[in-house]
Amino acid sequence: MNEQDETGDLIRRSKPDTTLQEASIDIDTIVQDGYRSRRRGFAVVGAAATTGVAAVAAVLAFSAGLLAPVDGPEGAQEFPAGEPFGFDPAQAGYPGPAPDAWDDHRRERDAAFASAFGDLAVGAGFLDAGALDHEQPSDEEIAAVMEEHGAGYYEALSELGYNDLPLQPVPWSSPGNGGQVHLRGFTARDGDEEAERSSFTITAVQPGGWTAEPGPTGGVAFPQHLISDEASWSDEAPVFETERLEDGRTLMTADHGCALEAAVVYPNGSGLRSSWDLDCEGQGREMSMEELTAAMLAMPQLEYDTSELASIGELLDVPPGWAWDEEWEDAAAADSASTFDAAADALNAAHPGVELRTSRPSQFQPGADVVQRTYAADYSMPFEDAAGYPVHFSVRYHLPGGWLPGLPPEGTSGPYLLDCQGDKDDVCEESEVGGRTVATRTFDIGESRSYWVVVYDPAGWAVAFDTTYEGPVDGYGLEDVVALAAALPAPVYDPAEYERD
């Protein structure tokens, strides 16, 4: 699983009953209070641990100055789904990841993450003392790099060496419903570049595409869940608790024994989730749920630009993808080789002398919890193009799962195998050959020819053929390439294996 998408395992499917009204939180106050508020919070937790999560949360919130008291014995007012957006934000999303533009709120957000979680991460052994003592680039330095290199804001930070640092929140996005929309937010980790997986992850999720209702992990479910109430680190389900606080927030915790998770839903419809690996891999770290709760509740509500948030309407029914399997590529090598040997026979029937150059099975992860399995190969034709260069092409078999056939709707990519958002001179068309759907994307300019052809078989698999050359070449136009792709045999795989998953 990609590091970028770790939070995807803990965000799932369902629909919230309510969307909470926006509340005002003074972020400057919590940043100014800094570590003093966090230390006061731990002292309060120690004294009030026996009174329950709600009592601890209320005392913490008021002692740190995070939230104003709520009038009335009933607490925060309930609002129907759709407020204040005019639609259900769980069934909504953004057109893509947030643009890499100047971020006026980055410094206060950095300070808020460090203030809420710095003592916790150091005290539990996740970070060394002084790990957060890094000097930030000035606005002038950032602007200079952006201008010199034509870079975005966070790209400039990376160029200046201020990137992937401990507890540094960086832009995060996750495809929703197979890429039909995107979720957005910010995520922070332990900053360990050598580790395969971060020992903790904290993600602030802005409104749209997720639900506060806990649910199971995995698959391509939409909307995604903010937290799971099922087993994530062992076969046993965690001790899960949820509490609606009087200030309008909802707190959820999951104790896995060797790991802790927590999530907070804010009155403005945004969320925060974090996961901490205490001893699942033998690190021997210690942290109480009360300490984690204190840190989570010390994190203020963040405000986001939701101007691009839009209801997505009808959901795409995307076939589930595969589970990531580190051993699959080795196990599938023989099937991949057999597939391309058979494909070479079919290609040689049309053009004797076609040569198989390389082949390999591979797993592709276009988004959180979405894994596609493919066989890919490169071939060379027994002839040259109009410029005298050898003609090469590639073939990629897509096994069933995690994608949709045909062309994507205009202006989108989503879970489709052919991307039609390329150059304006590209032409995308859909046709039928021998009862099978064929999607093509072509680019012809001058003597240059680029053809992408995907043939979708009713059995659930697809094969893609792409080639670029200088033309024209007799017997190798678009119709010829479509015919070659359509003549390729089925891949060698066990359909029952996908059905079992």
Side-chain angles (χ1 to χ4, degrees):
M1 180 170 293
N2 292 341
E3 183 86 358
Q4 177 182 349
D5 298 317
E6 283 177 10
T7 34
D9 338 341
L10 300 155
I11 299 182
R12 313 292 167 238
R13 175 179 185 177
S14 197
K15 186 181 297 184
D17 295 327
T18 60
T19 301
L20 304 177
Q21 186 184 40
E22 181 174 344
S24 175
I25 294 178
D26 184 1
I27 193 171
D28 293 329
T29 299
I30 182 60
V31 172
Q32 183 176 5
D33 285 350
Y35 290 103
R36 290 174 296 174
S37 295
R38 286 279 296 110
R39 294 192 178 100
R40 286 201 304 271
F42 282 133
V44 173
V45 169
T50 61
T51 64
V53 172
V56 172
V59 176
L60 276 172
F62 297 131
S63 68
L66 291 175
L67 297 169
V70 177
D71 294 333
E74 300 301 322
Q77 180 183 354
E78 296 280 356
F79 287 85
E83 296 288 353
F85 303 102
F87 51 81
D88 183 358
Q91 301 290 334
Y94 301 86
D100 189 4
W102 189 276
D103 189 345
D104 287 327
H105 303 290
R106 194 263 305 171
R107 294 182 189 276
E108 60 183 348
R109 187 168 48 247
D110 286 5
F113 269 74
S115 176
F117 295 101
D119 283 356
L120 180 72
V122 172
F126 287 91
L127 299 179
D128 296 330
L132 304 179
D133 298 336
H134 36 252
E135 184 176 352
Q136 298 192 28
S138 67
D139 287 349
E140 291 75 17
E141 290 175 308
I142 298 171
V145 172
M146 292 177 68
E147 182 177 0
E148 179 181 357
H149 298 285
Y153 180 84
Y154 282 91
E155 185 181 358
L157 285 179
S158 182
E159 288 285 338
L160 292 166
Y162 191 77
N163 188 45
D164 290 334
L165 300 175
L167 273 178
Q168 178 196 14
V170 295
W172 166 89
S173 69
S174 176
N177 201 46
Q180 188 175 359
V181 293
H182 284 74
L183 286 70
R184 292 179 181 174
F186 294 87
T187 192
R189 299 184 177 87
D190 57 17
D192 187 348
E193 297 180 355
E194 297 181 358
E196 293 184 2
R197 183 182 179 93
S198 296
S199 57
F200 70 80
T201 303
I202 307 166
T203 302
V205 186
Q206 62 190 74
W210 59 271
T211 171
E213 182 177 340
T217 64
V220 291
F222 183 83
Q224 298 176 2
H225 290 274
L226 187 63
I227 190 172
S228 172
D229 58 359
E230 296 192 345
S232 296
W233 276 271
S234 68
D235 293 334
E236 296 184 5
V239 177
F240 184 83
E241 296 183 9
T242 183
E243 192 81 27
R244 176 63 181 264
L245 310 182
E246 291 186 354
D247 53 44
R249 295 179 292 179
T250 298
L251 173 69
M252 294 171 282
T253 61
D255 188 342
H256 297 268
C258 67
L260 300 178
E261 297 177 273
V264 174
V265 179
Y266 296 94
N268 69 348
S270 65
L272 178 76
R273 85 152 301 274
S274 67
S275 62
W276 302 77
D277 183 353
L278 303 183
D279 199 28
C280 298
E281 300 295 334
Q283 296 94 336
R285 304 186 184 98
E286 295 183 0
M287 180 195 302
S288 68
M289 186 61 79
E290 288 78 13
E291 289 174 317
L292 178 56
T293 296
M296 293 293 290
L297 294 174
M299 184 68 186
Q301 173 178 278
L302 302 178
E303 300 302 327
Y304 300 94
D305 177 8
T306 58
S307 60
E308 291 187 291
L309 180 63
S311 178
I312 66 173
E314 184 178 356
L315 295 177
L316 298 174
D317 185 13
V318 184
W322 300 80
W324 186 271
D325 185 349
E326 297 290 345
E327 299 178 356
W328 178 78
E329 292 181 7
D330 289 337
D335 286 346
S336 175
S338 296
T339 296
F340 289 118
D341 285 343
D345 291 341
L347 294 165
N348 271 284
H351 297 282
V354 169
E355 181 181 350
L356 173 63
R357 302 169 66 203
T358 61
S359 69
R360 65 273 178 198
S362 62
Q363 295 179 99
F364 173 60
Q365 190 164 23
D369 297 325
V370 182
V371 175
Q372 298 174 9
R373 290 182 176 178
T374 68
Y375 303 154
D378 297 312
Y379 292 88
S380 60
M381 280 293 186
F383 51 77
E384 297 177 339
D385 66 8
Y389 294 102
V391 174
H392 301 289
F393 62 96
S394 66
V395 172
R396 182 180 294 269
Y397 280 92
H398 295 264
L399 302 188
W403 51 269
L404 289 174
L407 294 176
E410 185 176 357
T412 66
S413 56
Y416 295 89
L417 301 181
L418 196 62
D419 182 5
C420 288
Q421 298 187 95
D423 190 278
K424 64 181 180 180
D425 294 319
D426 287 8
V427 176
C428 289
E429 295 180 325
E430 193 171 303
S431 60
E432 186 175 297
V433 175
R436 297 192 290 177
T437 298
V438 177
T440 61
R441 175 181 167 187
T442 60
F443 176 81
D444 290 352
I445 182 169
E447 295 300 306
S448 179
R449 306 283 190 270
S450 292
Y451 300 141
W452 296 267
V453 177
V454 185
V455 178
Y456 304 91
D457 193 87
W461 57 269
V463 61
F465 186 114
D466 70 81
T467 186
T468 298
Y469 63 95
E470 293 293 311
V473 174
D474 187 40
Y476 200 62
L478 177 59
E479 291 184 2
D480 303 300
V481 170
V482 170
L484 282 174
L488 292 171
V492 179
Y493 75 104
D494 182 5
E497 183 179 353
Y498 176 68
E499 293 171 2
R500 287 195 300 270
D501 288 349

